[in-house]
Each structure stands twice: as C-alpha cells, then as structure tokens.
Amino acid sequence: MPDNSNSFRKKQPPKANTGSSKGNPSSSKAGGNQVPIDFNFNKENYQLALGIFLLALSLILFLSFVSYLFTGDADQDVVQRTFWDSIKNADKKAQNIIGLLGAKLSHYFIFEWFGLAAFGWVPVLTWAGYRLVSKKDLLPYNFNRFTISSIFYIFWTSIFIGYFVWVFDLQGGTLCGGLGYAVNHFFQQAIGWGGIVVILVILAGWLIFFHGFTQFDDWFFAKYFKKDSSEEEDDISTERIRKAVQVDIEDELEKTDNSFRKATPPSPVPIIDEANSITLETEQPKVKQEDIIVPKPFEEVTFEIEDKTKEKSTLPNEPFKGGPTFIIENIPEPAPPTDTFGGDLDDDDINEKVLKDFGLFDPTLDLGNYQYPPITLLSEYGNTGTKVTEEELEANKNNIVETMRNFQIGISSIKATIGPTVTLYEIVPEAGIRISKIKNLEDDIALNLAALGIRIIAPMPGKGTVGIEVPNKNREMVTMKSVIASDKFQKTNFDLPIILGKTISNEIFVTDLAKMPHLLMAGATGQGKSVGLNVILASLLYKKHPAQIKFVLVDPKKVELTLYNKIERHFLAMLPNAEEAIITDTKKVVYTLNSLCIEMDNRYNLLKDAGVRNLKEYNAKFVQRRLNPDKGHRYLPYIVLVIDELADLMMTAGKEVEQPIARLAQLARAIGIHLIVATQRPSVNVITGLIKANFPARLSFKVTSKIDSRTILDTGGSEQLVGNGDMLLSMGSDMVRLQCPFVDTPEVEEICEFIGSQRAYDSAYMLPEFYGDEDNETVEFDASELDPMFEDAARLIVTHQQGSTSLIQRKMKLGYNRAGRIIDQLEGAGIVGPFEGSKAREVLVKDLEHLDEILRRLR
C-alpha cells in the first residue's frame, strides 16, 4: 500500500538564488553571501518616532512656560539676541530651567503670541504624542474635536484677556501676549468699547455651532422654574451632552487588521488506498474582509479590498449612528386649534396641510443631540485568528477515515471547513451506505479523535453529504468589536438587528428580532447565557435611538442586568409607582407582565382606530402626520421584554407568570412587543408547552443531557457543544451552529456610562398602571391632601363619562404620575370605580349636580 503520510506535507519554500560567489570579495569562506543592512522605514516606526518627539516637546514647553513665569524678566536680555549670539556670549546665561531653548520658546509662545493661553498647547501635544505611541486615546473624547476646540480657545482667551489689558492699561504682555494686544488695539481704533461685544459674539457663535448649545431656554427654565424639590435628581437631564467619540480611520483599520484574513484554500491532496481515492479538500473560512465604518469628518475614504474580483468600496464618512438616514428640520411641533384651517377642510386635507408646513414627524427630536455609542468603547483582545494547523486537519481526517473503514463504511471524498470553534468535515459515503449507520458512530469517532464532543449531521440540509463537527484545539475568540464594526451589521436595515455570533464558515450572523419574533434561550450555568443576553442588548443599543426602543428588564438574580440602571431614562420602561426600572421582585414581575398585556391591548386599539395591521404601518402613518395626537395617537416604540431566569419565576409564581407570557407571545408581535426569555433549567415544568409553542426561535448553549436539548430544541445536539459561547440556533426547520461574541462587563459598563451621561427623558417609559387584588382593596384617600386640580379633573371625567388617566393627561396637560394620583383620589372619593385592566374606569357620578354635592362635602 502506498505511503500516504506526505499527503498533507507543507510546500517547501523555494531556495533563494544566491548566485555565484566568484569575484565577490565580500563572500564568506563558507560561500554564503553577506546580508546587507536594511533599515525598516515603515509607517509604524515613523508614528512611534513622531509620538515620542511630541511627548518630549510637550514636556519641554510645559517646563519652560512654568519657568518663564518666574524668570521671564531676567531673560529679556538673552532673548533679544539671536540664538547663536546668546550661545557665544558665555557670560550671560538664561535663567529658564530649559536653558536658552526654553527661554526662546516661552518668550515667543507667551510674550510674543498667546500669553497665558499658550499653556493650552501642552495637552494638545501630549494627547497627540500619547495617541501615536500607544495607539489609544488618552481621554474618552474625539481627538480632532479636542484639538480644534483647544486652538480656538487659545486664540480667543488671548484676545479676551487682551481687551482688559488694553482698557485698563496693564503691563500685560505675559497675560495676553502680542496677539491679544494687537487685536484689541485694532478693535479700540475701529469700534471702541464694542470690541468686547464682538469677542463675546464670537464665543456665542462657537458654542452654538461647534458645541451645539441651542437650548438655553430649556436649561434656564428647567433649572429655576420647573424643578420640584422632590425631583432634584432630574437636574442631570438639563446638562449638555458629551459629543460622541468618532473613530479615526487609520487607527481603527490598524486595530482591526488582524481580525480579517484573506482565505487561500489549498489545492486538494489525493489519498490513494486499495479500494478508492479519497480527496480531502480543506476549505478555509470564507471570511469577507468587510468594510469598517470609521467616520472622519469632511472627507470621503476610499480603500480597496484584497479580493481583486470585487470593486472598490467607497463609504461616506458620517457620524457612527444606527438611526434614520434622512434629516428632518428641527421645527417645534405646534398644537394648532381645530379651526385653524377653516371649517370646510376634512381630516385628510388638514393632514396634508400640516405635512406640507411642518414636514415629517421625527420622534428623535426630543433627544435630537443623542449620540450613539462609538466602537472605541469596545475592547481588543489581541490576535484572535483561527489556529487550525494542517497537521491537526490531517490527523482528524485520518482518524475519521480509519473509524469509518473499521465499520465497513467506504468514503469517496471528504472536505473540511474551518470555523472559529469547530471544523466541519463533510464526507460523501459510497453508494449503498445507510445514513443511520454513520449516525450511530458518533461516540466512536469522538473516542478516536479524543475530542470534547462530536456532532454528526446526517444528512447535511440541502447537500448530499454527511457533516461531522469536530472542536478545534485552539479556538478563536469572536470579539464584540469585530462584529459590531462589520459592514454586515452597520448596513443592515432590520427593524431590531441583533448579533448572535459567527457561523461555522466564519460569517457574521445578524438577524431581526422583529421577525423571530420572540427568542427562547437555555443553557447550563457558566456556558455563556448571560454574555449572550449582553450581546443582544448591546447590539440594539448600538443601532436604535431611545425614542425607537424600550427595554423591560426582569432579573430575579438581581446582579446580571443591574449594569443597565444608568440608561433608565433613555431606554428602560417601568411601572408608574415602581422604585427601580429593573424588576427583581416576583410580585412586581407579575404586575409588569400584566401591565404589558394592558399596553398590548391599548396598542391594538390604536391600530384599530388607525386602520393598520402592525406597528410598522402605524408609526409610518404617524410620521406622515396622518394620525391626530388629540385622539390619543402617539409614536409607539418597540418594547423588548428580557427575562434572565424564567425557572425562578415559574417556581415562585407559576401560572401567574406563565399565562401573561403566553398571551404576550401569542399576540404581541404585531404591536412591537418582543420577548427574550432565558433559563438555565430547560425542563418541561419551566418551558411548558404553552410557552414553547409560541417561541419558534430557540437558542441553546451547552446543556447537561440530551433530554434538556430535546426540551429546548426538539432534537439532540446541544449536549455535545463545547461551552464558552458555543451554541445552536433553531429557527423553524433550520439549525445553525454559532460562536457567540464575547463582551466583558467593563465594556457594557462603558456603553451604559456613555449613554447615561447624555441628556435623557424626564423619566423612564411608563407602562400602564396595574393593581393586584390587594392594591384595589386599600386605595388611600385623604381629603386634606387633594391635588389643586382635583375638582377640574372631576368635572372633566363626569362631563366625558370616561374614567381614564390618559384623558386627564391630554386635556389638562399633566404628567402621567400626577394624572395617576388624581385618578386614585377620584376613586377614593367615589367618583370613579376601581381599576379594570385594559378598560376605562367606570364613572359612578352621572351628572355635574351630583358632583357638586360631593365636592362641597369634601371641602
């Protein structure tokens, strides 16, 4: 039998042509050529050298500037001479700590040019040098914006101080520098005292156009007139937003260069035995070197992908946002009276008139300056490339072929596809071989390969092959940064795009939660379930505006989802009387689920009135101003309910939890409420048939037994996973094996910190109020503490014969919390009946005369 040991032998590189050593006096005695000295002049070396120079320069400037404040007068004689004259004149030395160089630099920067504002050059040079040396940013801000802003304030500060130096005739050469003095000299000669007005107007224009300070009225009134003593924590909502850190194109490309590799599939190597010829085709992962959206203002970046069959990719450099691609003029939405357009126009004519005058409605204008999290908040984890060697492929191939041969199973061909976690070997058995016979060899192949777990797919869907998934010895870490920065995620047009990981062929798997429409997750403890939840939530935070999506987070373990407390007033939804947005108490979970059912019913009523079938059509109609807000219509954000541990809730609440979850799963898809439910115990008493039937999309990490795998996926396989984010996704009849990206807790904290530091809504998104049986029996009422608008609200309710909180909100222009307290007081006074779920409260008083008697008694 021929020797097959060299079938995977690596190709030896061709020997270098050394040429003849004859006549070459530099050749060594052994005949080898002397290697010439080659200096490595590349971009990285230039950047490192420049960075070190800038750091040294910033230190020299700082020390010389500080020394100048004490020795500047003594060095005046030295600086008036030329540099070389001062060196030759040894009897007069500079007193500056940096010597003659420091005296000269500080004289020009401080006295001749900028005054004390010259100190502003030090942080600019320090940051620039640090950035070039360490490839990182010194501060969590955009370097380009910081540099431009610093240069402006250096010039402006010199001019501003120079005004007072000129007016009061101060000896202020050191204070304002020659620049500030000269500019104010011109102003005084041209416009007199109006120079200070010009200086301040320039500052105001800079603040408006560069920093975006366009809402001084909001800040002023919120600070001095609208703040209640019990709501002092809302002060943060009036602070200006930190600008998003934009990503520098060159640095980002260098950082992510190792994450993308061009596949070069080797040629098939024939293996000849006695019976047939087997060809192992090794298919490297088809990695697309995807474009990274890395914005840089005012330029268009064009770069060429290595694949010569593809065209050049040209991406517009715009800020990193996942929001709308169109711009709507920032015009405040008016509330015109009903007779504004005359009585002869119908509703369609009025809507067209409003649309023509004011344009499309933009729900994001309330937080118009909101900035999406930048990619730089996510961490790098070094070289994460696949490290499957040809030797490992050869050994696995031989073991598979030998095992099959031992059981009299012939193979005509075998092909390998390398993934981040496992390698898929596709075999084509000879004619007449039963597939079930191969399927039963799962444990035997695992024994021969000494692998953690072998999964056999017989047959492969859509192919005439049998798949054998073998775990790699060296697994690839799929980082969150690499998938978020991918072109596939950046350019997706899904309503709720979520990243689930990389497939076995190294393709990034992005899907739409709105189409799933709910997701059931399971996995044993420590197999990556909590990381998977964070990946899904981070995906949505990177693509959606706070006006477009709200989260209802249920965390019975009380520690997994607390990181998201910082974005409460941006992205979270809660009950009106709840203390915290993240629900940990089982009783509050029941209330929240029932509240979501009420929200679902209310939304269906709005869809019915609007004549549409789903949330997308309803919002499109509202954006086109074809729905009247006075009739209760409003823009409806998506709501995503996340339950981290269902087993604990089912054990403590049982049917109280199961029924609202099943009802939401059955009906809530059309109105934009989607569920993500996770559990570490996928047993039939936790994932009941009622819940399971309405979750067509299921995601399973490694579980402990085949029974658990069948409970979650209706088939085995997840017990053979290798853990640490290795998972199976079942969507209908499709089964996909994925490697979940890794996102660490500090990364999630930085994302939430970045979002939480920006201007937010006044409160979290309020769900409809829901009272249990105990709450309905104990409605508190104190006639001495009635709201000042209690009587007006009572007359409004009786007049309309509709006992709803939304009516009080809309007609009296009150907030939800205050309107809710008034409706509770109306119930305590016997004017309206108790809470009845999605129905409006019954009005017990039928006329105003009867109401006046009740009000007189209360007085």
Side-chain angles (χ1 to χ4, degrees), residues 533-796:
L533 284 177
N534 285 331
V535 168
I536 293 174
L537 292 174
S539 303
L540 295 172
L541 292 178
Y542 265 94
K543 290 293 286 184
K544 308 304 289 184
H545 189 277
Q548 299 171 333
I549 188 172
K550 303 295 177 183
F551 298 107
V552 178
L553 303 182
V554 177
D555 184 14
K557 292 187 285 188
K558 303 180 181 181
V559 294
E560 295 293 346
L561 300 178
T562 54
L563 300 173
Y564 299 94
N565 268 323
K566 296 177 182 178
I567 61 172
E568 175 181 318
R569 292 189 295 152
H570 292 85
F571 282 101
L572 300 191
M574 61 186 294
L575 292 173
N577 298 321
E579 296 179 358
E580 294 182 352
I582 298 178
I583 306 116
T584 57
D585 181 37
T586 303
K587 183 178 179 181
K588 295 295 183 183
V589 173
V590 176
Y591 287 5
T592 302
L593 293 176
N594 283 281
S595 176
L596 281 174
C597 291
I598 299 171
E599 174 76 9
M600 177 181 69
D601 294 335
N602 293 340
R603 288 190 172 201
Y604 269 117
N605 290 332
L606 292 176
L607 264 61
K608 176 184 175 183
D609 295 340
V612 294
R613 298 177 58 189
N614 55 54
L615 179 81
K616 197 170 184 178
E617 295 178 3
Y618 177 87
N619 282 339
K621 204 168 184 179
F622 189 86
V623 166
Q624 295 169 2
R625 302 187 185 273
R626 297 169 59 193
L627 300 175
N628 191 350
D630 290 337
K631 296 181 180 179
H633 292 292
R634 65 187 189 278
Y635 185 86
L636 300 178
Y638 285 96
I639 297 178
V640 177
L641 169 64
V642 179
I643 300 178
D644 184 47
E645 184 48 72
L646 179 64
D648 182 74
L649 299 180
M650 294 295 291
M651 183 170 56
T652 55
K655 293 294 182 182
E656 293 182 273
V657 171
E658 180 186 11
Q659 291 179 356
I661 289 179
R663 187 162 183 260
L664 288 171
Q666 289 170 348
L667 301 175
R669 170 186 181 179
I671 46 84
I673 298 179
H674 303 277
L675 282 62
I676 301 175
V677 179
T679 181
Q680 63 182 4
R681 187 158 58 90
S683 56
V684 292
N685 59 341
V686 174
I687 304 177
T688 64
L690 188 60
I691 294 177
K692 187 176 176 181
N694 296 289
F695 283 82
R698 297 141 192 199
L699 188 63
S700 177
F701 294 87
K702 181 177 175 61
V703 295
T704 55
S705 67
K706 185 173 290 188
I707 296 176
D708 289 345
S709 177
R710 287 175 177 169
T711 302
I712 181 68
L713 298 178
D714 293 330
T715 184
S718 56
E719 77 280 359
Q720 299 289 354
L721 299 176
V722 296
N724 293 332
D726 190 19
M727 57 189 181
L728 289 174
L729 173 66
S730 172
M731 295 173 55
S733 59
D734 298 332
M735 185 80 71
V736 183
R737 188 166 187 174
L738 302 168
Q739 174 61 43
C740 180
F742 177 72
V743 58
D744 204 359
T745 301
E747 297 176 73
V748 179
E749 287 179 343
E750 289 208 22
I751 295 172
C752 294
E753 181 67 31
F754 179 85
I755 296 174
S757 65
Q758 303 184 45
R759 182 170 176 257
Y761 295 105
D762 293 336
S763 64
Y765 182 85
M766 291 299 170
L767 299 173
E769 54 186 343
F770 176 81
Y771 296 102
D773 296 336
E774 298 177 0
D775 297 312
N776 285 334
E777 296 173 359
T778 59
V779 177
E780 297 182 0
F781 178 77
D782 187 353
S784 62
E785 297 181 356
L786 293 179
D787 192 278
M789 302 190 73
F790 174 84
E791 294 187 7
D792 294 336
R795 291 188 175 89
L796 177 67

Side-chain angles (χ1 to χ4, degrees), residues 293-307:
I293 292 187
V294 279
K296 195 170 185 179
F298 315 117
E299 294 182 9
E300 186 176 274
V301 178
T302 303
F303 54 93
E304 187 172 341
I305 303 177
E306 290 182 8
D307 189 348

Side-chain angles (χ1 to χ4, degrees), residues 68-69 73 76 106-118 158 161-162 164-166 169-182:
Y68 177 84
L69 300 179
D73 293 338
Q76 286 300 308
S106 57
H107 173 74
Y108 279 103
F109 272 88
I110 296 179
F111 186 82
E112 295 289 344
W113 294 338
F114 308 108
L116 294 179
S158 173
I161 297 176
F164 298 98
V165 171
W166 177 273
D169 196 19
L170 302 175
Q171 298 298 322
T174 300
L175 293 177
C176 66
L179 172 67
Y181 193 84

Side-chain angles (χ1 to χ4, degrees), residues 173-198:
T174 300
L175 293 177
C176 66
L179 172 67
Y181 193 84
V183 172
N184 281 278
H185 173 74
F186 170 78
F187 281 159
Q188 290 297 324
Q189 297 295 330
I191 55 178
W193 60 269
I196 189 64
V197 177
V198 175

Side-chain angles (χ1 to χ4, degrees), residues 459-495:
M460 292 284 292
K463 300 181 180 180
T465 60
V466 175
I468 303 176
E469 294 177 349
V470 181
N472 299 333
K473 293 181 179 179
N474 298 312
R475 297 175 54 182
E476 173 190 359
M477 176 186 288
V478 180
T479 64
M480 190 66 181
K481 185 170 186 177
S482 65
V483 292
I484 287 289
S486 68
D487 190 55
K488 188 171 185 179
F489 179 72
Q490 292 295 327
K491 292 188 175 181
T492 180
N493 57 357
F494 290 152
D495 294 326

Side-chain angles (χ1 to χ4, degrees), residues 169-232:
D169 196 19
L170 302 175
Q171 298 298 322
T174 300
L175 293 177
C176 66
L179 172 67
Y181 193 84
V183 172
N184 281 278
H185 173 74
F186 170 78
F187 281 159
Q188 290 297 324
Q189 297 295 330
I191 55 178
W193 60 269
I196 189 64
V197 177
V198 175
I199 294 172
L200 295 178
V201 167
I202 292 174
L203 176 64
W206 180 263
L207 294 177
I208 291 172
F209 290 102
F210 189 82
H211 292 291
F213 287 177
T214 59
Q215 297 180 344
F216 289 104
D217 55 338
D218 289 353
W219 175 84
F220 181 78
F221 285 104
K223 185 172 182 65
Y224 294 104
F225 294 96
K226 291 185 180 180
K227 184 179 71 172
D228 193 283
S229 60
S230 63
E231 298 176 349
E232 291 183 356

